[in-house]
Amino acid sequence: MTTDGNGDHDGDENGSVRVSVLGLGAMGGALADALVRAGHPTTVWNRSPGKADDLVARGARAAATAADAVRAGRLVVVCLFDHASVHEVLDPLSRELAGRTLVNVTTTSPEQSRELAAWAGRAGIAYLDGGIMAVPQMIGGPGSSVLYSGSADVFHRYEPLLGLWGTSTYFGEDAGLASLYDLALLAGMYVMFAGFMHGAAMVAPAGVTAGEFAAMAAPWLTAMTGSFQEFAEVIDGGDYTVEGQQSLEFSDLGDILAAGSAQGVGTDAVAMVQKLIRRQIDAGHGAEGFARIFESIRRPA
């Protein structure tokens, strides 16, 4: 049995923790389900009715109000729509939350996460911020991970419980760091997705389905992720002239842009990368490695 910072019991003698989950969208529901399946007494609340029915059937308790949910648990997990909705729900409950622990896994910006941590600190609430690197179906399964920053005491105290959702990684006391990593990783994902969709659009006029293209693109792109570490070593070393790199001049995407235009498709996704390449070539770095586009991004014109 663990205790909170005030010496009050968090859970039962069997090690279970009394948890309240606010927000039962697809992700919040998946988080609550993992807690229920692990045997933690779980109280759930959602603004719109009906979302809790399946969880209640599996052993959760539905709270009529957010305040009732907060009072039922020492650990309060918040998974809402955005930063504004978190404040909308929690601001009236600051007194009920005082002395409790708050884990916020709502997607927010780093500054919003820091602001919420400061708000929690003023109210006497122990705060941990989380960024979920998974879709709801992945929670508790292979590949699911959650990034955390904020209170080290909270992270270490509840680490076994947090591990029910996926691999847990802690980045330190700065509450904004988990969000920063979360959004940076999502940036890479969305640009990759856009590249795939650009490719699918290019071959579509030739009668190739998106499914057929995906069968070829997935193993190719997976293999290419092996280049990340090589790029990282060049960027961290700061020498874009190291032998063995593909040059910026060789990486020019003019042929891809021309082929896309000939197929009648938009070239926005590829044109963005071409712009980064051309900035470095025009600055006299054409013979240096492709990784130098990092400088175009780090120091925007």
Side-chain angles (χ1 to χ4, degrees):
M1 174 165 50
T2 58
T3 60
D4 64 17
N6 296 323
D8 295 326
H9 295 314
D10 286 332
D12 302 326
E13 293 291 346
N14 61 6
S16 62
V17 178
R18 290 182 285 119
V19 192
S20 295
V21 178
L22 308 184
L24 298 178
M27 184 59 76
L31 300 177
D33 182 63
L35 296 171
V36 171
R37 285 188 283 108
H40 293 288
T42 305
T43 300
V44 295
W45 172 85
N46 195 69
R47 192 190 309 269
S48 55
K51 291 286 186 73
D53 294 349
D54 289 343
L55 287 165
V56 169
R58 291 193 292 275
R61 171 185 172 270
T65 67
D68 289 340
V70 167
R71 285 190 286 266
R74 301 303 303 176
L75 174 63
V76 179
V77 178
V78 179
C79 188
L80 296 170
F81 180 70
D82 58 13
H83 182 67
S85 62
V86 172
H87 270 299
E88 182 180 350
V89 171
L90 297 188
D91 281 357
L93 305 178
S94 58
R95 290 187 178 180
E96 285 86 350
L97 284 163
R100 288 177 163 81
T101 297
L102 176 65
V103 176
N104 176 43
V105 292
T106 306
T107 299
T108 55
S109 72
E111 287 308 312
Q112 289 171 336
S113 297
R114 294 178 182 117
E115 184 278 327
L116 192 58
W119 172 87
R122 292 191 297 271
I125 305 163
Y127 182 82
L128 187 67
D129 199 83
I132 301 175
M133 306 308 301
V135 296
Q137 303 93 299
M138 292 171 61
I139 294 298
S144 176
S145 67
V146 187
L147 317 179
Y148 295 99
S149 58
S151 170
D153 289 342
V154 171
F155 177 77
H156 293 299
R157 183 187 311 149
Y158 292 108
E159 192 171 0
L161 182 148
L162 301 175
L164 295 172
W165 299 331
T167 302
S168 301
T169 305
Y170 178 68
F171 291 102
E173 295 277 351
D174 178 351
L177 283 178
S179 172
L180 181 61
Y181 272 90
D182 178 19
L183 297 179
L185 289 165
L186 289 174
M189 181 192 76
Y190 279 111
V191 173
M192 179 185 69
F193 284 171
F196 163 73
M197 293 175 191
H198 175 91
M202 282 183 69
V203 298
V208 181
T209 67
E212 291 169 330
F213 183 69
M216 297 191 68
W220 162 248
L221 294 175
T222 298
M224 288 302 96
T225 61
S227 301
F228 289 173
Q229 192 58 44
E230 297 171 16
F231 287 142
E233 290 172 1
V234 171
I235 291 167
D236 290 341
D239 184 0
Y240 299 103
T241 67
V242 174
E243 291 186 7
Q245 300 181 68
Q246 178 172 299
S247 73
L248 285 159
E249 290 171 344
F250 187 83
S251 302
D252 183 273
L253 307 183
D255 288 344
I256 299 176
L257 291 168
S261 295
Q263 291 293 85
V265 304
T267 59
D268 304 69
V270 177
M272 175 270 294
V273 182
Q274 176 74 332
K275 181 178 180 180
L276 300 175
I277 293 171
R278 290 306 316 179
R279 271 193 58 202
Q280 294 302 315
I281 292 176
D282 293 345
H285 303 293
E288 298 181 35
F290 175 78
R292 193 177 178 91
I293 69 167
F294 174 80
E295 302 298 334
S296 293
I297 300 167
R298 181 167 66 170
R299 297 185 179 91

